[in-house]
Amino acid sequence: MAGLGIAGLFLGVFAYDMVSPELASWGVRSFPQSMTLPPIVQIAYGPLAVTVGVAVLLMVMFADKIDPGKRIETADSGRQNFSLIRREWGWALTGFLAGLTILAATAQGQYLGIIGGFAALTAHISGVFGHTLQSVPMLDDNTAWRAALAVGLFPGALLSAALSGSFKNVPVAALWDEAFPGGMASRALAVFTGGFLISVGALLGGGCTTGAFMAGFPTLSVGNFVMGMTFFAVGMMTTFILYWGRWGLLEKVRTEKRLDLATD
Amino acid sequence: MTGGLITGAIFGFILHRGGLTRYSRIMGTMLMKDLKAMKFMFTALAVAAVGYGAADMLDLGISPRVNPYLGWSHLIGGVIFGVGMGLAGF
């Protein structure tokens, strides 16, 4: 299943690559031009970024107060009594570590972006077969770093999965299985199509959830703000339509099946 | 390149460990039923923002690469990406 998603991602990179030279003439993109918040509000980057960061942290604390998900968490807490090695970690710890990883990538002179990594990886693999991507014409240390980043994700995630004991192989997520007919077939179609759209959309819009949002918003780039807010709004609309009238299903499946890191 | 591999592995580990690879976690945030994924992302974003800001004020020479272009593609890409995200749940 994950393989199909990755196939969709790669296919998306090629699709984007074919249209990329036309983007400027279609008027959807201009090079090189960038717009960030500091000159607009006339505050230096440093203090503004710190202020935004602190404001966002306060917002997260408020979100935690009203989070309806904590009710579900308590309901399936029977399975949460595992050691730190087996159970899922909280948002505060993992969020903090992810923030540090973003900083670590920048400290190496690089940039943390998953789809960007996949594009670089596609370029390097294509290069082996003598094909050059128009959107990644030059292969150098930077593209190699990003390609390595995309490759590295897998052993990292697999290690965590192995430690959590999740190799019981759950091909179709329980929630999907409950909500939609067709089991494997319908999920496979959604994962493949979704992967394709994610690649094309991210490369067009300048990043994925990691590159444009988590790592992109801190740069205070207006383009990233537009991209991030658009995809969250559209993503929510898509999901609300998919689960139309069955919005309570998530809570039901999670508590009844007692889903956790290893079974979801 | 080794740096990229290690950074990727650490990030992959964190994503899985935080439950960000769980379908119901992503759908939970999209349906506003379980905000864990959202809290995770905003925390990471905030930590990075404070880090970048502090590095800038202290002149540490660590500054992020800023998205180099501007245009309708952000909006169009956002719509396409959003549909994909809702469909796939990752």
Side-chain angles (χ1 to χ4, degrees):
Chain A
M1 196 58 69
L4 269 176
I6 292 160
L9 290 175
F10 279 124
L11 203 65
V13 173
F14 283 114
Y16 167 80
D17 192 59
M18 282 195 281
V19 300
S20 64
E22 310 296 332
L23 292 175
S25 64
W26 293 343
V28 295
R29 177 182 289 181
S30 57
F31 278 110
Q33 188 193 10
S34 170
M35 194 196 281
T36 57
L37 210 49
I40 299 173
V41 296
Q42 307 251 320
I43 300 173
Y45 174 78
L48 189 60
V50 171
T51 312
V52 168
V54 172
V56 167
L57 274 182
L58 292 173
M59 198 193 76
V60 171
M61 283 174 199
F62 175 72
D64 187 50
K65 285 257 182 293
I66 58 164
D67 184 1
K70 287 200 291 195
R71 210 171 50 231
I72 318 177
E73 221 73 62
T74 330
D76 60 16
S77 61
R79 300 187 59 152
Q80 298 291 322
N81 292 331
F82 293 136
S83 67
L84 208 60
I85 293 173
R86 287 205 61 182
R87 70 174 155 81
E88 187 173 329
W89 296 353
W91 57 271
L93 175 62
T94 48
F96 180 73
L97 292 175
L100 291 186
T101 316
I102 293 169
L103 292 172
T106 307
Q108 294 172 64
Q110 298 293 344
Y111 187 76
L112 195 74
I114 294 177
I115 296 295
F118 269 99
L121 181 60
T122 312
H124 277 275
I125 295 172
S126 297
V128 173
F129 296 101
H131 176 74
T132 310
L133 291 194
Q134 293 164 311
S135 51
V136 193
M138 294 280 287
L139 299 181
D140 53 22
D141 285 351
N142 292 331
T143 55
W145 192 94
R146 293 205 298 273
L149 177 89
V151 173
L153 289 170
F154 295 96
L158 288 174
L159 173 67
S160 169
L163 291 175
S164 72
S166 72
F167 283 113
K168 282 172 235 153
N169 197 5
V170 194
V172 181
L175 175 60
W176 180 279
D177 217 17
E178 189 81 17
F180 304 103
M184 282 280 267
S186 64
R187 181 71 187 133
L189 186 68
V191 165
F192 180 75
T193 318
F196 178 79
L197 294 176
I198 281 175
S199 243
V200 174
L203 291 169
L204 256 179
C208 52
T209 321
T210 305
F213 185 68
M214 284 157 61
F217 272 39
T219 66
L220 306 182
S221 149
V222 174
N224 282 346
F225 289 146
V226 173
M227 165 75 181
M229 286 187 275
T230 308
F231 77 63
F232 269 117
V234 174
M236 282 180 176
M237 278 192 277
T238 309
T239 316
F240 266 89
I241 294 169
L242 270 179
Y243 284 88
W244 192 262
R246 305 179 285 177
W247 300 303
L249 202 59
L250 184 128
E251 207 165 348
K252 180 173 160 274
V253 172
R254 274 272 287 278
T255 39
E256 274 178 10
K257 309 219 167 185
R258 315 194 102 197
L259 295 181
D260 63 12
L261 189 59
T263 54
D264 192 3
Chain B
M1 203 171 112
T2 322
L5 207 59
I6 295 168
T7 311
I10 293 172
F11 199 63
F13 184 89
I14 295 169
L15 285 182
H16 183 271
R17 224 0 80 148
L20 275 295
T21 52
R22 290 177 61 180
Y23 178 67
S24 78
R25 285 278 187 218
I26 304 296
M27 289 297 108
T29 282
M30 291 286 130
L31 292 168
M32 305 290 269
K33 295 279 184 198
D34 170 11
L35 303 183
K36 181 173 180 186
M38 186 166 280
K39 288 185 288 187
F40 164 86
M41 290 187 274
F42 275 108
T43 306
L45 182 164
V47 169
V50 171
Y52 284 149
D56 183 64
M57 287 195 281
L58 300 172
D59 256 338
L60 294 183
I62 301 171
S63 60
R65 186 196 67 113
V66 179
N67 197 306
Y69 63 85
L70 192 68
W72 287 105
S73 57
H74 292 298
L75 209 59
I76 302 167
V79 171
I80 298 174
F81 188 93
V83 173
M85 191 181 189
L87 262 183
F90 58 77

